[in-house]
Amino acid sequence: MDSSEEVDAQEESIHERTVSRKKKSKRHRDKDGAAGEEYPMDIWLLLAAYIRPEDIAKFSLICKSAWTVTCTAAFWTRLYRRHYTLDACLPLRLRPESMEKLRCLRACVIRSLYHMYEPFAARISKIPAIPESTPSTLRNSKCLLFWCRKIVGNRQEPMWEFNFKFKKQSPRLKSKRVGGLQPPVQYEDVHSNPDQDCCLLQVTTLNFIFIPIVMGMIFTLFTISVSTDMRHHRVGLLFQDVPVRGGRKLRSEQGVQVILDPVHSVRLFDWWHPQYPFSLRA
């Protein structure tokens, strides 16, 4: 290789290194530009006033500032006032004079929306009835409370209502362990909810049936079939001392089995449902 070829090779090498550095610099600038602008919290609070209740989750995922806004008491108070009407039929705890309390404000506003906001109220009517849909989500839930009461239905004879309050296994527990976002300390009261992930299984029977103590036990199996009189339903509930994992087969003799027969109706209420008896601590 002569001197001219060496110079050309050196110049080509220098040119390639220069182009490479320019590309890296451009990628770095593009990466910096992708971060976007950071807007003041007041802007997000202003935008939040135009967010529909069903779009709150999407809004909170825009950025951390938008999420922080949805944690504030001001956000939930304004949302409540926006949809409140004078003719709304609300429980005492969900009326305007009681909504000044910060504790459980978010949960109370969500509950009130299922009374006042038509799209949310319509969701309740679309929930499939049991036995059309069996409550498989209750598997491995803990029974927190049980009570029964005598009620007077359409029939001349009274019926009995058996209520089982369960605490579902929360999928959020795993995300919290890996550093999931937590509401700011100053808004912990706003986000507190003693009934979070709780639901009520309500079974109405034609006769009184003795129920063994199941509080504190794990609910592992729900079965529903035709009653012995062929006109009603028969409900079976199985409780264990520990959760059942994987594909393990259940053996009724290892737990407490509750048989309710004949059954008039079976209903399942989540914590936000208008018929859910929410905690007095709210």
Side-chain angles (χ1 to χ4, degrees):
M1 181 183 293
D2 59 17
S3 60
S4 62
E5 289 177 342
E6 287 182 3
V7 171
D8 290 343
Q10 289 176 357
E11 288 179 351
E12 186 176 351
S13 178
I14 293 171
H15 176 70
E16 289 176 355
R17 288 198 299 268
T18 304
V19 171
S20 178
R21 279 197 295 269
K22 286 182 178 179
K23 287 182 178 178
K24 287 182 180 178
S25 177
K26 185 179 179 181
R27 283 199 300 267
H28 184 68
R29 287 197 302 271
D30 290 343
K31 197 174 290 184
D32 289 342
E37 296 289 338
E38 186 173 343
Y39 296 100
M41 197 70 69
D42 291 343
I43 296 295
W44 294 106
L45 194 59
L46 182 64
L47 291 174
Y50 300 92
I51 301 300
R52 299 183 306 171
E54 56 266 44
D55 295 329
I56 292 175
K58 294 179 182 177
F59 176 75
S60 67
L61 293 173
I62 295 175
C63 64
K64 190 172 182 179
S65 294
W67 171 79
T68 303
V69 162
T70 62
C71 295
T72 63
F75 172 81
W76 292 103
T77 300
R78 292 177 183 180
L79 182 66
Y80 176 83
R81 291 174 179 170
R82 214 161 75 216
H83 295 283
Y84 175 75
T85 55
L86 292 175
D87 59 344
C89 184
L90 297 171
L92 183 62
R93 177 63 182 92
L94 303 182
R95 294 175 188 172
E97 57 270 20
S98 300
M99 297 298 282
E100 296 178 1
K101 303 175 184 177
L102 289 183
R103 180 165 177 79
C104 302
L105 177 62
R106 173 181 173 274
C108 288
V109 172
I110 292 174
R111 285 191 173 105
S112 68
L113 289 173
Y114 280 92
H115 288 272
M116 305 184 298
Y117 188 57
E118 182 57 34
F120 279 16
R123 289 183 187 179
I124 296 173
S125 61
K126 294 178 182 178
I127 296 176
I130 302 172
E132 292 179 17
S133 172
T134 56
S136 57
T137 56
L138 292 181
R139 183 180 173 86
N140 286 336
S141 298
K142 186 175 183 180
C143 183
L144 301 180
L145 195 62
F146 163 75
W147 72 95
C148 67
R149 67 189 184 105
K150 194 175 184 180
I151 59 173
V152 178
N154 296 329
R155 302 165 71 250
Q156 292 183 352
E157 297 180 2
M159 294 186 290
W160 292 86
E161 183 183 272
F162 296 87
N163 298 279
F164 302 85
K165 181 179 178 180
F166 293 105
K167 176 79 170 180
K168 295 180 183 179
Q169 279 195 322
S170 174
R172 292 192 298 274
L173 292 178
K174 189 177 291 185
S175 64
K176 286 181 180 179
R177 294 192 187 106
V178 295
L181 287 174
Q182 297 294 317
V185 177
Q186 63 268 35
Y187 300 122
E188 283 184 352
D189 279 351
V190 174
H191 281 254
S192 63
N193 182 6
D195 293 314
Q196 184 68 46
D197 298 317
C198 289
C199 64
L200 184 76
L201 179 64
Q202 189 177 89
V203 183
T204 305
T205 65
L206 305 183
N207 307 309
F208 175 78
I209 301 169
F210 174 77
I211 303 293
I213 297 175
V214 295
M215 286 188 296
M217 300 188 72
I218 306 299
F219 180 61
T220 55
L221 183 65
F222 175 91
T223 59
I224 188 165
S225 56
V226 179
S227 175
T228 51
D229 62 8
M230 304 299 289
R231 293 187 297 118
H232 300 90
H233 291 101
R234 179 181 186 270
V235 170
L237 310 174
L238 183 61
F239 296 85
Q240 307 273 357
D241 292 325
V242 294
V244 176
R245 305 296 182 188
R248 285 177 53 191
K249 293 183 179 180
L250 298 173
R251 296 174 59 184
S252 58
E253 63 269 17
Q254 292 180 342
V256 176
Q257 191 173 24
V258 175
I259 300 297
L260 300 171
D261 183 16
V263 169
H264 178 265
S265 64
V266 183
R267 294 187 290 179
L268 184 65
F269 305 129
D270 282 292
W271 68 265
W272 39 260
H273 196 285
Q275 295 184 51
Y276 178 92
F278 58 89
S279 173
L280 296 176
R281 293 179 292 162

